[in-house]
């Protein structure tokens, strides 16, 4: 990993890959967990939402957001970001819990990578943005990130050289503590000298574009058959609700809709 570098993504005019990152060659999709109500709202409004790092939940991700680098030759630009994941199943339980909405209904989207890149490249060309994509760096503990800007840090000259560029700044936006490495997160930045919106909404017709090829619904809590008098009732209620949600999303997005069976209970093994 060469911090502070980028290379243009082949076939695109405004998309750059940070620090030597490239998408896995064996996958055509990336994945995104989000509350179901937020996804439905995006589909209904035909928009793909990028957010300012100001909205990120973990305060350690914001430590260097907007930092003044002018003494090192770089005028800090504005950025908005969308976070996706390279993998769909690594520590799936934790991802469902973290991204659960207020009603605990969550979806995992399978996003077609090439369609996403084409959409972003066209938007960037029309609206004066550049797009930078990089994998989150989970190498550091909290104290390391907090002290990175001090000259005593072993990584001080790597992230804060005497001449900084936008790649150095964006690399700071890719730092996340080791505790979160199960996310396998990739961040997609839109960069411009000035962005007024905290939420930047890119026009996107989900149904027509085919951007989302699969929607996985969050799993239902496990229902135990042994000793649970309401087992059959709960199973039927879950099935009815799941089928209704699938029908609504199928109409809105027109892609494959699945129900996660992560917590499905199987008969206990009694004898070997």
């Amino acid at each position: 990993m060469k911090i502070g570098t980028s290379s243009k993504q082949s076939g695109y005019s405004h998309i750059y890959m940070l620090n030597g990152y490239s998408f896995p060659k064996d996958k055509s999709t990336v994945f995104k967990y989000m509350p179901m109500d937020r996804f439905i709202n995006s589909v209904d409004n035909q928009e793909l939402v990028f957010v300012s790092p100001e909205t990120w939940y973990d305060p350690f991700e914001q430590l260097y957001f907007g930092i003044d680098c002018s003494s090192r030759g770089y005028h800090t630009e504005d950025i908005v970001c969308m976070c996706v994941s390279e993998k769909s199943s690594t520590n799936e339980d934790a991802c469902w819990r973290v991204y659960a909405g207020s009603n605990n209904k969550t979806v995992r989207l399978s996003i077609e990578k090439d369609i996403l890149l084409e959409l972003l490249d066209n938007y960037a060309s029309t609206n004066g943005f550049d797009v930078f994509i990089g994998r989150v760096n989970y190498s550091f503990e909290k104290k390391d990130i907090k002290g990175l800007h001090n000259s005593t840090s072993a990584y001080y000259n790597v992230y804060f050289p005497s001449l900084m560029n936008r790649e150095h700044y964006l690399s700071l936006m890719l730092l996340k503590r080791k505790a979160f490495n199960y996310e396998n997160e990739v961040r997609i930045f839109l960069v411009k000298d000035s962005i007024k919106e905290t939420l930047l909404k890119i026009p996107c017709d989900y149904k027509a574009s085919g951007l989302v090829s699969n929607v996985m619904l969050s799993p239902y809590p496990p229902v135990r058959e042994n000793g649970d008098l309401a087992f059959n009732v709960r199973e039927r209620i879950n099935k009815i609700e799941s089928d209704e949600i699938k029908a609504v999303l199928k109409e809105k997005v027109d892609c494959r809709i699945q129900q996660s069976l992560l917590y499905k209970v199987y008969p206990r093994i009694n004898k070997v």
Side-chain angles (χ1 to χ4, degrees):
M1 181 186 297
K2 177 68 172 170
I3 302 299
T5 64
S6 68
S7 59
K8 186 171 284 190
Q9 175 73 357
S10 177
Y12 300 95
S13 301
H14 298 273
I15 298 180
Y16 302 85
M17 310 304 283
L18 284 164
N19 304 331
Y21 175 72
S22 60
F23 286 111
K25 289 186 167 63
D26 61 339
K27 294 183 183 297
S28 63
T29 57
V30 292
F31 305 92
K32 184 171 180 62
Y33 288 86
M34 63 190 304
M36 183 185 297
D37 53 0
R38 192 183 303 166
F39 173 57
I40 291 175
N41 186 64
S42 294
V43 172
D44 288 343
N45 293 327
Q46 297 192 350
E47 59 193 22
L48 187 66
V49 179
F50 279 64
V51 303
S52 167
E54 289 180 356
T55 68
W56 288 347
Y57 180 76
D58 182 3
F60 280 89
E61 297 178 84
Q62 303 173 352
L63 281 179
Y64 301 107
F65 174 60
I67 188 171
D68 185 351
C69 306
S70 57
S71 65
R72 296 165 189 266
Y74 173 63
H75 168 70
T76 306
E77 297 164 286
D78 286 345
I79 60 174
V80 287
C81 178
M82 183 174 78
C83 302
V84 298
S85 178
E86 285 185 339
K87 300 180 180 180
S88 62
S89 59
T90 303
N91 213 332
E92 184 180 353
D93 172 76
C95 289
W96 288 123
R97 295 175 189 273
V98 167
Y99 294 102
S102 57
N103 60 2
N104 293 320
K105 297 296 182 187
T106 313
V107 294
R108 185 183 70 219
L109 310 178
S110 296
I111 298 175
E112 291 298 312
K113 178 185 63 182
D114 291 342
I115 295 176
L116 176 63
L117 294 181
E118 187 70 25
L119 175 70
L120 295 179
D121 197 49
N122 290 337
Y123 183 82
S125 177
T126 303
N127 295 276
F129 285 90
D130 281 321
V131 181
F132 285 82
I133 302 174
R135 193 180 194 281
V136 169
N137 183 350
Y138 300 100
S139 300
F140 301 120
E141 300 287 1
K142 178 171 65 176
K143 61 180 177 59
D144 300 318
I145 296 176
K146 189 176 179 180
L148 197 65
H149 66 294
N150 295 322
S151 59
T152 53
S153 168
Y155 295 92
Y156 175 73
N157 290 325
V158 174
Y159 284 91
F160 296 98
S162 56
L163 286 176
M164 288 182 66
N165 55 32
R166 57 166 44 164
E167 286 85 351
H168 288 109
Y169 176 60
L170 293 174
S171 296
L172 293 168
M173 300 296 105
L174 291 173
L175 298 178
K176 204 164 185 177
R177 289 174 286 168
K178 288 182 180 180
F180 296 94
N181 65 1
Y182 64 87
E183 295 174 337
N184 295 293
E185 191 172 298
V186 172
R187 290 184 171 169
I188 304 173
F189 299 101
L190 293 180
V191 183
K192 196 176 184 181
D193 187 61
S194 177
I195 304 174
K196 298 188 184 340
E197 301 90 345
T198 302
L199 300 177
L200 182 65
K201 300 173 180 179
I202 298 175
C204 175
D205 187 332
Y206 287 81
K207 193 170 186 177
S209 68
L211 177 68
V212 176
S213 56
N214 188 82
V215 178
M216 181 69 74
L217 308 180
S218 55
Y220 287 98
V223 179
R224 300 288 178 186
E225 184 171 10
N226 292 341
D228 188 345
L229 297 177
F231 171 78
N232 291 329
V233 174
R234 294 175 197 229
E235 286 281 272
R236 286 198 298 269
I237 290 174
N238 288 350
K239 177 69 164 56
I240 291 170
E241 182 183 61
S242 178
D243 287 346
E244 289 183 351
I245 293 172
K246 287 179 182 178
V248 170
L249 290 177
K250 181 69 175 176
E251 175 62 28
K252 289 179 179 291
V253 192
D254 192 23
C255 70
R256 187 181 187 189
I257 316 293
Q258 294 179 284
Q259 174 65 61
S260 172
L261 301 177
L262 181 64
Y263 305 132
K264 181 176 174 60
V265 176
Y266 294 91
R268 185 173 298 171
I269 307 300
N270 294 319
K271 186 178 180 180
V272 294

